[in-house]
């Protein structure tokens, strides 16, 4: 049981350029800012609590869903703002076989595993480390060691996430090292965005473009069938920018009250990733290429966001299951109050040899970087 203190509704740590060291087992809130862009995070689940940027009229706008108090995240079922893993997304039947060994995982959604199980990375306290600001903005780093057998997964895994904020972008670097056994690793950032403002109502009129010609269809429990099919002719086709709501009610496509589907991102190269923000110990993948995965824009605020990533997949989720969730400032989130663009590997890869592998061999590293670029007009 994490130790929570009374001050958790207050901003207590980390202004620009100050080193922050966490006390083990304590939940804290961290505040970082660059120009008029400010961000709040917590080491509980390495979560983003808020990201405030000026809208087209200069009004500060919080574009991520969340709660006022960190305590609210303890019983949270939405994964608001969290890093999810050790294996993000679903694993069918809560099991897999690796090199002849069979692993039974924690089944936390029907008979399947979702986002690493009941006590996945989103539900644990991470250690935090702040750094002095440099030209790349202030990185805030969270660490966690996932132990052998945690939620059923093999071997100890050291996980690290680095958030680097700039006035016009946020870089998220996810890294892991399999310390002593081979294990699947698939990490994702699970922020629910609403570029019109977290309390601006549904996102159905926002325009989205997803640079993916193919997607991985799912069965009625949202487990991939193993096929990789063209989006062409389906409501999953976002190759041309259009309103999220325009095909959301089309019948016969297993659209359950909205999108919750993995896209295979096309391999168009966008830009070379600059040298990683921290370069501290982990085997860097500096220069690994980021692909533009999605572009989203809100007419309400004029805020747009480009998402580029090194990951092969993008889970597009339109907050379908939000219902009467009491969020920041007492605002009640309902279905479609936000969208998630979860860059990651494909769901249930451990059970589909034709999907890109998520196995990290003992002693090897995992890394995944995503850049969120903001533009207001
Ligand atoms: C921040 O916002 C204020 C008020 O809108 C504005 O005057 C100022 O230029 C902005 N600063 C930056 C760095 O954008
Ligand atoms: C894995 O390695 C860590 C140190 O890196 C060690 O503490 C732990 O006991 C090892 N676990 C197993 C199951 O070998
Ligand atoms: C599977 O086992 C073989 C033989 O021990 C080993 O060489 C290989 O690296 C293992 N593969 C994984 C993914 O652990
Ligand atoms: C976002 O991507 C589009 C290409 O679709 C590009 O025209 C635009 O300049 C990009 N914006 C940012 C802020 O990178």
């Amino acid at each position: 049981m994490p130790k929570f203190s009374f001050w958790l509704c207050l901003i207590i740590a980390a202004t620009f350029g100050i080193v922050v060291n966490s006390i083990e087992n304590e939940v804290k809130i961290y505040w970082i800012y660059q120009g008029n862009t400010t961000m709040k995070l917590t080491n509980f689940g390495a979560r983003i609590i808020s990201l405030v940027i000026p809208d087209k009229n200069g009004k500060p706008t919080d574009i991520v869903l969340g709660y006022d108090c960190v305590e609210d995240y303890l019983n949270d079922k939405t994964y608001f703002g969290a890093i999810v893993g050790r294996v993000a997304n679903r694993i069918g039947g809560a099991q897999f076989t690796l090199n002849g060994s069979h692993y039974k995982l924690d089944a936390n959604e029907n008979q399947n595993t979702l986002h690493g199980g009941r006590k996945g990375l989103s539900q644990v306290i991470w250690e935090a480390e702040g750094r002095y600001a440099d030209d790349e903005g202030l990185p805030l780093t969270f660490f966690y060691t996932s132990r052998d057998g945690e939620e059923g997964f093999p071997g100890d895994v050291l996980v690290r996430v680095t958030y680097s904020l700039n006035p016009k972008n946020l870089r998220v670097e996810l890294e892991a090292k399999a310390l002593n056994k081979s294990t699947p690793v698939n990490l994702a950032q699970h922020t629910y965005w609403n570029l019109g403002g977290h309390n601006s109502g549904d996102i159905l009129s926002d325009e989205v473009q997803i640079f993916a010609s193919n997607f991985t269809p799912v069965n009625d429990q949202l487990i991939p069938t193993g096929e990789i099919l063209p989006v062409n002719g389906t409501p999953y086709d976002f190759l041309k920018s259009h309103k999220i709501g325009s095909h959301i009610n089309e019948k016969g496509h297993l659209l359950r009250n909205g999108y919750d589907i993995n896209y295979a991102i096309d391999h168009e190269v966008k830009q070379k990733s600059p040298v990683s923000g921290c370069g501290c110990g982990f085997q860097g993948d500096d220069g690994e290429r980021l692909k533009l995965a999605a572009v989203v824009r809100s007419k309400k605020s004029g805020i747009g966001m480009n998402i580029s990533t090194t990951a092969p997949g993008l889970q597009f989720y339109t907050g379908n299951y939000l219902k009467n969730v009491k969020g920041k400032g007492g605002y009640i989130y309902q279905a479609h109050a936000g969208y998630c663009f979860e860059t990651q590997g494909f769901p249930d890869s451990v059970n589909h040899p034709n999907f890109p592998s998520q196995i990290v061999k003992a002693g090897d590293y995992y890394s995944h970087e995503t850049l969120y670029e903001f533009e207001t007009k």
Side-chain angles (χ1 to χ4, degrees):
M1 181 71 183
K3 197 168 80 192
F4 285 95
S5 344
F6 66 92
W7 39 255
L8 283 173
C9 289
L10 304 176
I11 294 162
I12 54 94
T15 52
F16 182 83
I18 289 176
V19 176
V20 180
N21 289 307
S22 75
I23 300 158
E24 207 179 346
N25 229 25
E26 259 194 280
V27 176
K28 289 190 173 183
I29 294 175
Y30 302 86
W31 179 35
I32 55 181
Y33 66 87
Q34 284 271 331
N36 287 338
T37 304
T38 66
M39 214 178 152
K40 263 196 263 178
L41 303 108
T42 173
N43 59 331
F44 183 68
R47 294 175 189 242
I48 297 174
I49 298 175
S50 72
L51 198 159
V52 177
I53 66 172
D55 73 0
K56 61 186 174 193
N57 302 314
K59 183 174 150 241
T61 306
D62 185 353
I63 56 172
V64 310
L65 275 56
Y67 302 111
D68 279 327
C69 299
V70 174
E71 278 144 309
D72 296 329
Y73 289 98
L74 193 57
N75 300 312
D76 168 66
K77 299 272 188 292
T78 66
Y79 303 94
F80 278 163
I83 297 301
V84 292
R86 173 183 312 194
V87 176
N89 216 309
R90 295 177 175 85
I91 294 180
Q95 58 186 319
F96 66 94
T97 299
L98 175 57
N99 235 8
S101 301
H102 188 75
Y103 296 97
K104 264 317 274 171
L105 306 171
D106 181 42
N108 59 335
E109 191 190 64
N110 306 313
Q111 64 265 47
N112 310 310
T113 300
L114 176 63
H115 296 326
R118 232 159 301 219
K119 211 164 185 311
L121 301 183
S122 51
Q123 296 303 123
V124 297
I125 300 174
W126 298 49
E127 280 183 63
E129 184 184 278
R131 279 166 192 282
Y132 284 102
D134 58 22
D135 290 344
E136 308 239 310
L138 174 70
L140 178 63
T141 300
F142 296 111
F143 298 87
Y144 179 71
T145 304
S146 172
R147 294 294 172 194
D148 186 35
E150 211 166 299
E151 307 306 281
F153 290 99
D156 289 3
V157 175
L158 177 61
V159 183
R160 186 171 80 179
V161 54
T162 302
Y163 291 101
S164 307
L165 183 69
N166 288 291
K168 294 281 180 204
N169 68 60
L170 169 68
R171 183 181 301 275
V172 179
E173 290 162 279
L174 294 164
E175 296 162 294
K177 182 179 185 186
L179 295 177
N180 35 37
K181 288 185 188 170
S182 297
T183 177
V185 176
N186 182 34
L187 306 176
Q189 218 303 325
H190 204 294
T191 287
Y192 289 64
W193 306 90
N194 183 332
L195 298 186
H198 81 97
N199 53 358
S200 68
D202 73 60
I203 45 73
L204 297 176
S205 62
D206 287 7
E207 305 250 345
V208 166
Q209 187 173 19
I210 299 174
F211 298 88
S213 308
N214 296 285
F215 73 115
T216 55
V218 290
N219 68 17
D220 60 0
Q221 292 193 10
L222 298 170
I223 304 299
T225 60
E227 298 157 288
I228 302 174
L229 295 182
V231 294
N232 187 18
T234 75
Y236 298 109
D237 187 347
F238 279 93
L239 284 166
K240 290 209 175 74
S241 183
H242 62 264
K243 287 197 170 77
I244 293 172
S246 52
H247 302 289
I248 206 165
N249 292 319
E250 267 178 39
K251 298 275 177 266
H253 286 283
L254 280 171
L255 278 174
R256 285 152 203 290
N257 194 28
Y259 294 94
D260 192 0
I261 194 77
N262 171 63
Y263 288 88
I265 302 164
D266 292 342
H267 291 284
E268 270 132 49
V269 167
K270 190 223 167 186
Q271 64 172 80
K272 209 168 175 336
S273 164
V275 172
S276 128
C278 84
C280 30
F282 272 77
Q283 176 176 285
D285 269 311
D286 297 348
E288 193 175 344
R289 290 180 158 237
L290 290 168
K291 295 168 288 184
L292 183 59
V295 173
V296 53
R297 177 167 297 279
S298 162
K299 283 225 173 68
K300 292 177 206 165
S301 65
I303 297 170
M305 178 169 73
N306 286 10
I307 300 152
S308 307
T309 186
T310 57
L314 172 83
Q315 184 84 14
F316 178 46
Y317 173 53
T318 48
N320 310 334
Y321 308 118
L322 294 176
K323 198 177 171 199
N324 300 325
V325 178
K326 192 169 173 221
K328 287 182 270 194
Y331 188 79
I332 309 290
Y333 302 126
Q334 304 291 5
H336 309 141
Y339 27 58
C340 304
F341 295 89
E342 303 158 59
T343 57
Q344 57 183 269
F346 295 5
D348 200 26
S349 286
V350 281
N351 294 310
H352 299 284
N354 59 320
F355 287 0
S357 173
Q358 292 169 358
I359 304 304
V360 179
K361 285 196 182 176
D364 278 358
Y365 295 86
Y366 161 97
S367 90
H368 159 196
E369 179 178 333
T370 300
L371 181 67
Y372 306 86
E373 292 170 286
F374 306 106
E375 193 174 42
T376 304
K377 58 184 181 198

